[in-house]
Amino acid sequence: MMSVPIEHGFVLVALLWAIGLVGLLSRKNTLFMLMSMEIMLNAGALAFILAGSLWQQADGQVIYILILSIAAAEVGLGLALLIRLRQHIGDLNIDKLDEMKG
Amino acid sequence: MSGQILFYVSASIAVLASLFVVTNKNAVHALLYLVVSLLALAMCFYLLGAPFAAALQIIVYAGAIMVLFVFAVMIFNISQTDIDREKQWLTWQSWVGPSLLVMVLLGEIVFVIVSQQNWATNSTSVAQIELVDARAVGSLLFGPYLLAVEIASFLLLAGLVGGYHLAKELPKKSTKQGGSQ
Amino acid sequence: MHDLLFLVPLFPLVSSIVLLLLAGRLSPMLVALLGVGSMGLAAILTLLIGIEFMDMGGESFQQVLFNWLPIAGASLNFGLHLDQLSLVMMGVITGVGWMIHWYAAAYMFGDKDVQRFFVYMNLFVFAMLMLVLGDSLVLLYLGWEGVGLCSFLLIGFWQHKADNVVAAKKAFIVTRVGDTAMMIGLLILFSEFGSLHINTIVESTVQVSQSNLWLACILLVGGAVGKSAQLPLQTWLPDAMAGPTPVSALIHAATMVTAGVYLIARMHPLFLQVEGILNIVAWIGALTLVLAGIAALAQSDIKRILAYSTMSQIGYMFLGLGALAFDAAIFHLMTHAFFKALLFLTAGSIILKMHHQQDIFKMGGLFRSLPLTSTFLLIGLLALVAFPGSSGFFSKEAILAATYEAHTAGPTLWWIGVLGAFLTSLYSFRLLFIVCFGPANHDLKEADYKPSSQFVVPLLPLVTLAVIGGFISLDFSLVFGPAHHPHLPLWIEWMPVAVALVGFILAWVLYFPRRSMQPSDGVISRFCRDGLGFDWLYERLFSKPLQLFARINKSDVIDHFYHFVGWFNFSLNEILVISQNGKLRWYLFGTLAGCALMLGGLLWWR
């Protein structure tokens, strides 16, 4: 169908991953942190798809499906926790959760 | 040829959209940008010869997971005060450290990728990418990866039960719980 | 009879142990009987053994009791060695000791601790006998330490007075310095000769390095100096007078302080190989006898005068040893025991009569009040100043004559000895005049004190011996070699007598109390009274720095290291805990930074 140098694909993966990481580290709002983690997960999924395309095998997509399930479960639980968090401390500032300090 | 250009375009859309997600102050806007990013990635999947993955990305990821996000955001009921607070939290100082660190990491990873001498059977250009269609994926899923599928279903069940339990309304027995607005 | 030699030290030891175990259950009469009786038995036995020894020609006799330390190659036996030297010492210890114990029974009568007193006294006699009878240096050291211990116990006998305990500690610590030197010397001897058996060392033909022998001998001299209260370890003797007077008589006049003299005499073959040391010994003796004489002139406590006098006379013995006149030195030891014990016991009677008052300026006119006691005092003092015919005369003459001719001594030391004789005469007659003549400075009534026979009878043999003891001829030829009679011009032989006479006249002029005497209080006399500043010097030199160190180290420098370890860990914790601030993003950042670093490192090395 097309021919893209495979390094470019992986560079894209790295780029997306990095962006997700920046968001994870800089944002205080837990919701945004979750979103950044989604971006990172997607980057990982892309890497697998690239590998599958490289080897012309379906295994990449299978792994992609598993990643999908993981993302789904994680988001479900994460959002539930976020709701709890909001009830507990009023806003979603993750820096307020520092009782394990010292 | 056109496939190449399409791939690069989708890739840049994905990257840009992700950037917007990360730097946004409004949660709903960020979510929408995230959806755009996911759709762009679906495009990339298709162009890489993985139509089934592309379809799943759109249906499940963008269609279900993101919708879940949107529902949650609606429950949070964000108002202008929240947006202002976000603005307050997002000073340029909070970007410096992470950006530097991430650039270092990015540099290292890119260096590793670029310095690879041979990519298996492929050289820098590949003649033809065949489609790996749903049939192939299905036969794998019911074959070697059967156990993985079962475990994935466990995972989803756990997520379901956990999600229900965590978000359940607490019995109103004491006032010690964190006050809700 | 010779085989019963071991009984001589055994009697006092058994008596001591019995008195210790039955503490508090015996009546005072029984205690005295046991304490004095054991000494009496030992003395009589000594006499019998001595007679038999003389009859049999005087060959030395060994008696091995048992094998004490079975070490391969250097096995140590517990054995006794009898020759003229140890016989004379034994006789002095048991004989004079018996008289002193008898006197002490009367002196300490009524004291509630009299049982403890006799335990210590008998133990002391046992230790002293072991010192002189032991056939190896280990047994000698056993006795040495034993007498040191008993001296400490007896000086501080009246424990309730803190000063006594301080004096006892001082005595022990100062002699300890000497004892340590002696121990090192013994170890050097052991390493050189392979054994500490005296005969083995003395008759050994092993070639020993001269420097090691020199070192060992000088250390032995150090030990002797400590025990005999000579320069520079003499500071303890005047303070040791804090003990009861019989203790001063026995330990600090007749026996323990002569242990140093015995040691050098016993090991004289070793010393003859390093004659330079004998010169040093002579000088030590000479300097001490002058120093002590000067100090005695400034004292006002009767016992301290006698203490300095003892120090001075032992200086004479050291002088004799240094002049290679070992037999003369031992002879003087014997006669000194007689008249010094007599003097101390007489002083004890005076002190008792004065209700434990020891200041001579508060006495006076005792010739009228206590005629018998004063006569004894006079006799003792005449023997001390070597009045012609008394025992002291013969012994002191022998020493001074030998000093003039010896090649390790010589005329300089002889002149110092003569000066010493002058000083002896001066302070002795000062004592006599102030105490016995002049107006009575006290308020004693005549009928206050009846001298009981118990106080007088023990003194009679001592008086007799002080007078005629000079005529006892001691034959040390089998120990020290044939006796050497120096031939000297007449004026040298009679010079000491002449200066003694000069001293008498000067004392008459200065000290005969025409009116009430006051102790002089100038700077010089205070300096002399305090032992010519030695106490002050030692305190500045040793005590104060040690106390300073103790104060600095009060918080224990070594502990600081361990505290530092703990403190370091705590501070490290305080620093590191800052990084544990509970914020998730910080942790994430840290993890990723670590990853970046590791990845970077890996990439660098590939």
Side-chain angles (χ1 to χ4, degrees):
Chain A
M1 296 276 296
M2 47 134 280
S3 54
V4 171
I6 209 75
E7 300 95 4
H8 295 189
F10 279 107
V11 168
L12 171 64
V13 167
L15 207 51
L16 277 177
W17 185 80
I19 291 171
L21 195 56
V22 165
L24 189 61
L25 286 177
S26 343
R27 306 293 309 232
K28 282 207 187 81
N29 196 330
T30 322
L31 186 62
F32 282 89
M33 285 173 79
L34 259 179
M35 286 192 234
S36 311
M37 273 167 59
E38 289 306 309
I39 301 175
M40 288 167 81
L41 270 173
N42 264 290
L46 178 61
F48 274 106
I49 301 289
L50 276 171
S53 145
L54 186 62
W55 293 93
Q56 293 291 296
Q57 288 177 341
D59 292 59
Q61 296 187 50
V62 170
I63 304 289
Y64 166 74
I65 291 172
L66 294 176
I67 292 178
L68 203 56
S69 339
I70 293 172
E74 171 208 327
V75 164
L77 284 169
L79 287 173
L81 277 174
L82 244 61
I83 292 174
R84 267 283 165 268
L85 189 65
R86 174 110 177 191
Q87 284 177 353
H88 191 65
I89 54 173
D91 61 4
L92 290 170
N93 183 2
I94 201 169
D95 277 345
K96 283 208 184 149
L97 292 177
D98 62 353
E99 281 170 34
M100 291 274 277
K101 64 176 171 241
Chain B
M1 218 351 242
S2 59
Q4 257 184 316
I5 298 177
L6 216 49
F7 182 83
Y8 286 125
V9 167
S10 320
S12 37
I13 293 177
V15 170
L16 270 174
S18 306
L19 270 173
F20 279 129
V21 168
V22 165
T23 56
N24 218 311
K25 297 170 187 47
N26 190 334
V28 178
H29 294 179
L31 276 174
L32 292 174
Y33 275 116
L34 186 55
V35 171
V36 168
S37 168
L38 294 175
L39 291 177
L41 270 181
M43 193 63 204
C44 292
F45 288 173
Y46 187 76
L47 288 169
L48 284 172
F52 186 57
L56 274 182
Q57 174 91 335
I58 297 175
I59 297 171
V60 177
Y61 223 126
I65 296 177
M66 284 304 122
V67 170
L68 190 56
F69 256 107
V70 171
F71 284 166
V73 168
M74 283 177 189
I75 290 177
F76 290 150
N77 220 358
I78 49 172
S79 57
Q80 188 59 32
T81 50
D82 294 311
I83 301 176
D84 289 334
R85 201 168 42 209
E86 282 300 324
K87 208 181 302 200
Q88 200 186 12
W89 286 347
L90 279 182
T91 59
W92 67 270
Q93 289 103 330
S94 62
W95 287 104
V96 169
S99 311
L100 277 172
L101 178 65
V102 166
M103 279 206 256
V104 168
L105 273 171
L106 185 62
E108 285 171 356
I109 296 177
V110 167
F111 174 74
V112 168
I113 294 171
V114 161
S115 64
Q116 293 289 332
Q117 293 308 317
N118 54 333
W119 286 96
T121 57
N122 237 347
S123 60
T124 48
S125 64
V126 73
Q128 181 84 302
I129 287 192
E130 302 292 335
L131 270 180
V132 182
D133 59 354
R135 176 179 230 121
V137 177
S139 50
L140 268 188
L141 276 178
F142 278 96
Y145 286 98
L146 190 58
L147 204 55
V149 171
E150 297 303 323
I151 294 175
S153 65
F154 289 164
L155 189 65
L156 287 170
L157 181 64
L160 176 68
V161 170
Y164 160 73
H165 182 76
L166 281 173
K168 195 171 61 168
E169 214 174 282
L170 288 168
K172 300 240 193 304
K173 56 173 183 192
S174 62
T175 54
K176 250 197 329 178
Q177 304 296 332
S180 56
Q181 267 75 331
Chain C
M1 189 59 72
H2 274 13
D3 292 336
L4 298 178
L5 182 60
F6 71 96
L7 281 180
V8 177
L10 193 64
F11 282 140
L13 179 65
V14 165
S15 156
S16 169
I17 292 177
V18 166
L19 283 172
L20 180 66
L21 292 175
L22 295 179
R25 297 198 209 154
L26 299 175
S27 72
M29 192 51 117
L30 209 51
V31 166
L33 201 62
L34 206 53
V36 180
S38 62
M39 285 302 297
L41 283 176
I44 294 171
L45 193 57
T46 308
L47 186 63
L48 294 174
I49 291 179
I51 293 175
E52 188 180 307
F53 186 75
M54 289 301 162
D55 280 341
M56 283 173 44
E59 288 294 321
S60 66
F61 168 73
Q62 322 272 341
Q63 181 178 37
V64 172
L65 294 175
F66 54 90
N67 187 273
W68 193 16
L69 291 175
I71 308 173
S75 168
L76 185 68
N77 288 330
F78 197 104
L80 305 174
H81 170 94
L82 186 67
D83 60 3
Q84 285 97 336
L85 176 59
S86 46
L87 182 64
V88 165
M89 297 294 300
M90 200 166 64
V92 165
I93 296 168
T94 52
V96 176
W98 184 25
M99 293 300 119
I100 295 178
H101 274 70
W102 195 336
Y103 180 94
Y107 189 89
M108 302 291 290
F109 188 81
D111 192 315
K112 64 175 169 46
D113 285 322
V114 67
Q115 187 154 3
R116 183 161 63 99
F117 181 78
F118 276 107
V119 170
Y120 295 157
M121 290 285 270
N122 283 341
L123 189 63
F124 170 82
V125 173
F126 165 71
M128 192 71 204
L129 283 170
M130 283 321 299
L131 201 157
V132 301
L133 285 176
D135 70 346
S136 78
L137 286 172
V138 175
L139 282 174
L140 192 148
Y141 195 68
L142 169 76
W144 196 273
E145 295 289 322
V147 299
L149 170 70
C150 293
S151 167
F152 167 78
L153 290 171
L154 284 165
I155 295 174
F157 183 70
W158 287 314
Q159 303 155 334
H160 47 270
K161 284 189 66 180
D163 286 344
N164 297 346
V165 177
V166 168
K169 276 194 291 190
K170 181 175 175 180
F172 193 76
I173 292 173
V174 176
T175 50
R176 200 80 192 111
V177 174
D179 293 349
T180 313
M182 184 171 153
M183 167 115 266
I184 299 175
L186 288 185
L187 290 173
I188 295 178
L189 283 177
F190 183 70
S191 78
E192 286 291 321
F193 290 100
S195 154
L196 281 174
H197 196 87
I198 294 185
N199 281 346
T200 312
I201 293 181
V202 156
E203 295 161 6
S204 148
T205 49
V206 173
Q207 279 291 5
V208 269
S209 77
Q210 201 67 359
S211 58
N212 268 352
L213 194 60
W214 220 93
L215 193 60
C217 288
I218 203 81
L219 287 169
L220 287 181
V221 168
V225 156
K227 224 21 147 216
S228 298
Q230 301 294 291
L231 235 58
L233 295 171
Q234 87 286 12
T235 48
W236 63 274
L237 191 56
D239 291 335
M241 297 298 120
T245 310
V247 169
S248 308
L250 181 62
I251 298 183
H252 306 125
T255 41
M256 184 178 102
V257 292
T258 57
V261 180
Y262 170 77
L263 176 67
I264 299 181
R266 175 59 83 198
M267 304 302 295
H268 72 272
L270 276 185
F271 283 95
L272 285 175
Q273 295 176 31
V274 279
E275 285 196 347
I277 295 188
L278 287 175
N279 195 7
I280 295 176
V281 168
W283 271 103
I284 291 177
L287 289 173
T288 309
L289 73 95
V290 168
L291 182 145
I294 296 175
L297 278 174
Q299 304 296 324
S300 51
D301 180 341
I302 188 173
K303 282 179 73 174
R304 284 180 88 99
I305 295 180
L306 292 176
Y308 278 108
S309 166
T310 304
M311 206 190 285
S312 181
Q313 295 304 307
I314 298 179
Y316 268 108
M317 294 179 216
F318 267 58
L319 187 59
L321 289 173
L324 302 177
F326 303 109
D327 37 1
I330 301 294
F331 187 35
H332 192 59
L333 192 156
M334 186 181 79
T335 59
H336 174 260
F338 297 149
F339 59 72
K340 198 43 75 66
L342 174 68
L343 280 171
F344 264 108
L345 297 183
T346 314
S349 302
I350 296 177
I351 291 172
L352 264 189
K353 155 97 192 212
M354 297 283 140
H355 299 300
H356 287 280
Q357 205 276 100
Q358 297 178 255
D359 190 344
I360 56 175
F361 292 104
K362 296 202 173 49
M363 304 176 187
L366 286 185
F367 240 146
R368 289 191 300 278
S369 340
L370 302 173
L372 191 62
T373 314
S374 304
T375 316
F376 286 167
L377 189 69
L378 176 65
I379 294 175
L381 286 175
L382 285 179
L384 178 57
V385 306
F387 188 77
S390 65
S391 56
F393 171 71
F394 289 104
S395 52
K396 202 179 276 192
E397 283 308 298
I399 290 180
L400 286 176
T403 308
Y404 193 84
E405 271 210 343
H407 62 272
T408 47
T412 324
L413 285 167
W414 180 83
W415 275 111
I416 298 181
V418 166
L419 175 64
F422 168 69
L423 288 171
T424 306
S425 165
L426 194 58
Y427 67 69
S428 306
F429 286 111
R430 170 180 179 262
L431 175 64
L432 187 69
F433 293 150
I434 294 181
V435 166
C436 297
F437 295 96
N441 229 354
H442 54 87
D443 49 358
L444 241 40
K445 292 153 212 51
E446 289 298 325
D448 247 354
Y449 171 71
K450 299 257 184 303
S452 84
S453 61
Q454 298 287 35
F455 283 100
V456 173
V457 167
L459 297 183
L460 291 176
L462 291 174
V463 168
T464 320
L465 284 170
V467 173
I468 64 160
F471 296 103
I472 302 175
S473 71
L474 298 175
D475 179 20
F476 285 119
S477 54
L478 287 172
V479 181
F480 295 132
H484 170 77
H485 297 292
H487 294 293
L488 297 168
L490 214 60
W491 71 271
I492 291 187
E493 289 201 13
W494 287 100
M495 177 65 92
V497 183
V499 295
L501 191 61
V502 170
F504 170 75
I505 296 173
L506 193 60
W508 181 286
V509 167
L510 288 176
Y511 296 118
F512 196 89
R514 290 161 191 86
R515 63 199 180 291
S516 217
M517 295 291 294
Q518 296 296 327
S520 50
D521 207 21
V523 173
I524 295 186
S525 49
R526 242 180 317 176
F527 176 69
C528 294
R529 188 174 315 147
D530 292 335
L532 269 66
F534 269 92
D535 274 335
W536 178 91
L537 180 69
Y538 286 157
E539 180 167 345
R540 292 283 174 293
L541 211 54
F542 298 114
S543 302
K544 287 266 156 41
L546 195 66
Q547 284 171 358
L548 184 68
F549 268 126
R551 235 174 304 134
I552 289 176
N553 200 28
K554 193 168 165 192
S555 57
D556 203 357
V557 175
I558 307 286
D559 250 359
H560 281 165
F561 172 69
Y562 295 112
H563 285 151
F564 170 72
V565 171
W567 171 86
F568 180 70
N569 280 318
F570 273 120
S571 342
L572 204 59
N573 176 49
E574 270 171 42
I575 293 173
L576 288 176
V577 104
I578 295 173
S579 71
Q580 207 173 22
N581 59 358
K583 297 197 178 30
L584 185 63
R585 294 187 303 133
W586 285 86
Y587 295 169
L588 211 51
F589 193 92
T591 313
L592 287 165
C595 277
L597 281 170
M598 283 205 301
L599 207 52
L602 269 173
L603 288 176
W604 181 273
W605 279 325
R606 295 298 180 81

